[in-house]
Amino acid sequence: MYGEHSRADARDFASYLAAKAYKARNKGDPYYVEAAVAGVRDGDSYLCCVDLYGNQYQTNVLTTGIARMLCPPIIDARYRPDMPVEDAKAVLLDCFKALYARYSLADREVALCVVSEESVREERAVIDIPYNFRGYVHKEDIM
């Protein structure tokens, strides 16, 4: 069906997406997208980024867009390769808090996708922004 595979996996999809993006780029009409592709097969996890030029790179941790500028310090301080899913979600929510604090035009509701060998689950979470920061509460102290 899909070459030597009986069904396509995340690696195959990332390669296909990279080839399509590269072809579109060469025509002078690139797809302006930065795609994160994730999957698990036979216990082997895969996380890859495909950019508008057709480049793809595999990594353990991935940020795209504006998060690429703001989130690496948060992730670097707390990421462990063997961390439980709940801890990883907490790190992601902290990243979204930083993004929302900087660019507050977005909605406070985010979707987190958990990819496992059995399924892909989407969970919704609402970012709780505390407004008890000293600069918000005691404005006369900072002016």
Side-chain angles (χ1 to χ4, degrees):
M1 287 216 202
Y2 298 103
E4 69 273 2
H5 301 292
S6 60
R7 55 178 232 197
D9 62 357
R11 292 178 197 275
D12 297 331
F13 182 70
S15 295
Y16 172 76
L17 192 59
K20 293 290 283 184
Y22 183 76
K23 183 178 179 183
R25 176 195 105 175
N26 285 339
K27 287 183 174 183
D29 188 21
Y31 302 126
Y32 290 98
V33 68
E34 207 171 10
V37 180
V40 179
R41 187 171 204 170
D42 299 328
D44 184 30
S45 61
Y46 180 76
L47 179 62
C48 173
C49 181
V50 179
D51 67 7
L52 73 149
Y53 303 113
N55 299 322
Q56 63 176 331
Y57 59 92
Q58 184 178 354
T59 182
N60 291 331
V61 177
L62 179 65
T63 57
T64 60
I66 300 296
R68 186 174 282 171
M69 293 183 283
L70 292 175
C71 296
I74 298 168
I75 295 170
D76 290 343
R78 297 178 51 193
Y79 171 75
R80 296 182 327 271
D82 60 341
M83 69 189 319
V85 174
E86 293 305 317
D87 291 349
K89 288 181 196 175
V91 172
L92 283 176
L93 288 176
D94 285 347
C95 288
F96 278 113
K97 283 180 187 178
L99 289 167
Y100 186 81
R102 179 64 181 97
Y103 303 100
S104 59
L105 297 176
D107 192 9
R108 292 185 332 152
E109 185 178 8
V110 296
L112 305 174
C113 292
V114 179
V115 179
S116 68
E117 199 157 1
E118 295 81 32
S119 67
V120 176
R121 292 186 332 265
E122 180 179 308
E123 300 175 10
R124 300 240 175 225
V126 177
I127 302 168
D128 182 31
I129 303 295
Y131 290 100
N132 60 355
F133 174 64
R134 187 177 66 90
Y136 294 140
V137 177
H138 303 290
K139 290 185 180 177
E140 63 276 357
D141 291 347
I142 60 171
M143 294 186 166

